[in-house]
Amino acid sequence: GDYFDSLNISPAKQVSTFKDLITFKEANKNKVILLVGNHEYQYLGICNDIYSGYQRLYASDYRDLLTAAIKKNFLQMCYTYKDFLFTHAGISETWSKNNFIGKTFIQHNINILFKKNPVAFKFTPGDRYNAYGNETCQSPIWIRPESLLKDMIKGYIQIVGHTKQKKISVYENLIIIDTLDDSQEFLIVENGELKISNL
C-alpha cells in the first residue's frame, strides 16, 4: 500500500508507477498481490478524511485509477499465505471483534468487509485520541506497531508496512518492513522461510 503521496517522487511518476504495477498484476494475476494503504483509502471518496501528504490537484486522477483497480479485484485489504498475514498496518483483536471478523477465513472476511462496508477502515479515534493511530481500535491500514504488539490477533505472523523503520523489525509474531526510505531492506518469504535482503 501507499502507492501515492510520496514527498520525493513527482505525482506524474507515482501515476506511471501505479499503472506499471497494474499492468504487471494483469499479466500475473495469481502471483502478485496489491494491498490498500491509508494513502489510497483517502482518495476513494469513502469518507471526508484527508491524511498527511494528500494531493488535492491529483485526487481525481488517483481516485479513477484506484477505483478501476478495485473493480478488477486488483487491490485488497488482506492476504494470507501459510501462517503469514499481510496487511498495510496490522490486525488487532479489538478491531477484529468490533467488526465481527472471525479467526477463520480472515482474508476473505476482511476483503469482503472492504467491499461491503469500506467505512470500517477509516481512522477511528479511540480512548486516547491518538492522532498518529497508536490505538488498538484502529483498522488494518492505520494501527501502529506499539498498539498492534499489545493486541495482535493470534495464530498468525503479521507482515506489515505503514510505519517507517530504519531496518526490518522482527518480533515474535510481527515483522515491520517499511524500510525503502532508509536501509532499503526487503523481506523474502519462500517455502515458509524468511530471508532479509537489500536492494
Side-chain angles (χ1 to χ4, degrees):
D2 287 359
Y3 310 105
F4 299 107
D5 295 342
S6 170
L7 300 176
N8 307 315
I9 301 169
S10 73
K13 180 64 176 165
Q14 291 174 61
V15 166
S16 171
T17 300
F18 186 75
K19 286 180 177 177
D20 287 347
L21 284 170
I22 294 301
T23 299
F24 189 67
K25 168 71 174 172
E26 275 183 307
N28 301 277
K29 288 186 179 129
N30 297 323
K31 295 181 180 180
V32 176
I33 305 297
L34 300 175
L35 296 176
V36 176
N38 54 307
H39 287 277
E40 286 73 56
Y41 185 83
Q42 70 179 341
Y43 292 110
L44 294 175
I46 294 162
C47 59
N48 293 324
D49 295 358
I50 293 176
Y51 310 140
S52 67
Y54 183 77
Q55 298 176 13
R56 188 174 309 282
L57 290 175
Y58 301 94
S60 63
D61 294 336
Y62 294 169
R63 182 173 48 251
D64 291 346
L65 288 168
L66 291 164
T67 301
I70 289 168
K71 282 183 182 172
K72 290 181 177 181
N73 290 317
F74 286 178
L75 284 173
Q76 60 193 67
M77 275 288 173
C78 180
Y79 174 69
T80 55
Y81 168 74
K82 299 192 179 201
D83 293 334
F84 299 104
L85 174 61
F86 299 82
T87 60
H88 182 65
I91 303 173
S92 69
E93 284 280 0
T94 301
W95 182 85
S96 180
K97 286 177 185 172
N98 288 347
N99 289 281
F100 309 104
I101 303 293
K103 297 285 190 299
T104 56
F105 308 112
I106 195 162
Q107 173 183 316
H108 173 79
N109 292 342
I110 288 177
N111 291 330
I112 290 294
L113 180 65
F114 178 53
K115 287 183 178 183
K116 294 191 173 186
N117 186 23
V119 77
F121 296 87
K122 70 177 274 178
F123 186 93
T124 307
D127 296 338
R128 295 164 52 200
Y129 291 94
N130 185 282
Y132 187 58
N134 194 9
E135 305 210 43
T136 60
C137 65
Q138 290 293 358
S139 80
I141 58 172
W142 268 115
I143 192 167
R144 296 294 176 172
E146 181 186 341
S147 292
L148 185 60
L149 282 164
K150 291 177 188 171
D151 192 43
M152 285 193 303
I153 58 167
K154 307 292 184 265
Y156 294 96
I157 297 168
Q158 295 199 48
I159 299 177
V160 305
H162 186 53
T163 303
K164 291 184 180 183
Q165 309 289 298
K166 289 186 177 180
K167 297 173 75 72
I168 288 178
S169 299
V170 179
Y171 300 89
E172 184 178 349
N173 290 311
L174 175 65
I175 303 169
I176 310 168
I177 61 170
D178 191 349
T179 64
L180 289 180
D181 284 343
D182 209 303
S183 66
Q184 299 189 333
E185 289 181 331
F186 60 93
L187 185 70
I188 299 169
V189 181
E190 192 169 30
N191 299 321
E193 298 291 318
L194 300 176
K195 178 184 171 188
I196 296 173
S197 194
N198 291 80
L199 286 178

